[in-house]
């Protein structure tokens, strides 16, 4: 099961977190489902970029960006 390590962020996740997520879920959905309330102004329709994150490690295991 993929793991997402969230570094501490004063606004969104002060203690940091380690999430076990299902393959295929978007990073945005994984965070939201785990109570990390990142902005997502266009409701994830890829129109606004408010849901952007910085991937520091493991980016090679992500799917290519797509409309989905
Ligand atoms: S919520 Fe992700 S692009 Fe708008």
């Amino acid at each position: 099961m993929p793991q997402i390590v969230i570094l501490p962020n004063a606004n969104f996740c002060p203690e940091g977190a380690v999430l076990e997520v299902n393959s295929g879920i978007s990073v945005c959905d994984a965070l939201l489902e785990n109570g990390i309330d990142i902005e997502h102004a266009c409701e994830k329709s890829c129109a606004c970029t408010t849901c952007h994150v910085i991937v520091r490690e493991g980016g090679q295991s992500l799917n290519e960006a797509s409309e989905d």
Side-chain angles (χ1 to χ4, degrees):
M1 182 173 269
Q3 193 176 68
I4 301 175
V5 178
I6 311 298
L7 299 177
N9 177 288
N11 295 324
F12 300 107
C13 188
E15 303 298 321
V18 178
L19 310 179
E20 302 284 341
V21 301
N22 292 322
S23 294
I25 191 171
S26 74
V27 174
C28 184
D29 282 333
L31 298 179
L32 293 171
E33 287 179 7
N34 284 278
I36 300 170
D37 194 23
I38 64 169
E39 291 184 45
H40 52 291
C42 73
E43 292 299 326
K44 302 172 280 183
S45 64
C46 299
C48 71
T49 71
T50 59
C51 64
H52 76 275
V53 296
I54 298 171
V55 177
R56 294 188 188 260
E57 291 181 11
Q60 71 280 359
S61 67
L62 298 174
N63 294 334
E64 296 259 339
S66 71
E67 289 295 320
D68 292 333

